[in-house]
Amino acid sequence: IAAASAANQAKNQIKLSDSSSNVTVRYTSNPPSIQSSSALIYLTEEELFTHFNTAIFKGKILNLTNIELDFNGAKSYRAIAEIEIETVYRGSCNAGDTVSVLLPCPIMKDIWVEDTDTVSSMQAGMTGIFMPMIYDNTSIEEQNGARLALNDIVDYGFADGERYAFLETKDGLVFSRSAYESISNAATLDEIENYILNKIS
């Protein structure tokens, strides 16, 4: 049984480059329900567009997969969203591309992580506008003597789970209305699109 379990783990494992060390990343269907979170740094509306190097695009969530990151025995759980791009507002991606975006928490019905309200609402099939950080060779996460080159596993990642996505849900538009006070009453993605185009023009 142990051998079968090891084989299953290997099958679920994401192959990493030599830029990563002492770390394994694998797909998991049962992340634990207790998660930690870090405090959000305060950013003005302007800074939300300039503080991080973000792409901005509209697209459809095709798939959400939970992953386990094992940093030399210290485990954390996230998710990867695959998003098919429809419109690009900023960045070098193109309409029609499917990109992978790292989420700061796993996506499950009974898991709630502080400061991830927006991302936690994500479901496959949803359309949204997304503002993830662009990962490159300098995008590294290090802990517990282990090192993960983030672009080994994804193209992009959210700086937090609250302020970098605007989602069309069956219950209406979901986004951080407190972070975007000037559009806190927005009800459609078209309003968000106009706001973003105005901010980045």
Side-chain angles (χ1 to χ4, degrees):
I1 291 172
S5 163
N8 279 340
Q9 289 210 357
K11 189 180 71 184
N12 285 332
Q13 206 158 307
I14 298 174
K15 194 165 167 42
L16 304 175
S17 75
D18 293 341
S19 302
S20 298
S21 57
N22 298 325
V23 63
T24 57
V25 181
R26 66 182 187 90
Y27 298 109
T28 179
S29 52
N30 54 350
S33 57
I34 297 165
Q35 303 288 331
S36 62
S37 79
S38 53
L40 295 185
I41 55 169
Y42 174 75
L43 296 170
T44 65
E45 286 185 42
E46 280 67 31
E47 287 168 337
L48 288 166
F49 290 90
T50 58
H51 188 78
F52 298 105
N53 180 24
T54 57
I56 308 177
F57 50 78
K58 181 180 182 180
K60 182 178 180 181
I61 302 169
L62 300 181
N63 197 22
L64 292 160
T65 317
N66 291 323
I67 56 171
E68 175 191 271
L69 284 63
D70 186 336
F71 292 90
N72 234 356
K75 294 180 179 179
S76 68
Y77 296 84
R78 318 268 174 89
I80 295 174
E82 286 175 53
I83 300 173
E84 183 177 27
I85 295 176
E86 188 183 305
T87 311
V88 178
Y89 308 110
R90 184 168 77 188
S92 58
C93 44
N94 297 298
D97 288 353
T98 297
V99 296
S100 54
V101 182
L102 185 64
L103 311 185
C105 61
I107 303 294
M108 285 176 75
K109 285 189 175 63
D110 54 352
I111 290 182
W112 178 83
V113 185
E114 190 180 4
D115 294 333
T116 61
D117 284 0
T118 306
V119 161
S120 297
S121 302
M122 285 185 171
Q123 293 177 14
M126 272 182 188
T127 296
I129 292 177
F130 307 95
M131 295 173 40
M133 294 184 291
I134 301 164
Y135 285 159
D136 60 21
N137 296 339
T138 65
S139 307
I140 304 288
E141 185 167 331
E142 292 184 286
Q143 54 170 297
N144 204 34
R147 168 188 170 95
L148 174 62
L150 292 165
N151 64 355
D152 274 357
I153 58 171
V154 286
D155 307 303
Y156 301 93
F158 287 122
D160 62 58
E162 200 71 55
R163 301 176 290 187
Y164 293 92
F166 305 82
L167 304 172
E168 263 180 1
T169 78
K170 62 181 190 306
D171 301 318
L173 199 61
V174 170
F175 68 100
S176 178
R177 293 175 188 274
S178 59
Y180 296 95
E181 285 185 5
S182 67
I183 48 160
S184 59
N185 296 325
T188 67
L189 275 185
D190 287 345
E191 290 172 77
I192 302 298
E193 180 178 78
N194 290 334
Y195 164 79
I196 287 173
L197 288 172
N198 197 25
K199 280 284 181 214
I200 63 177
S201 62

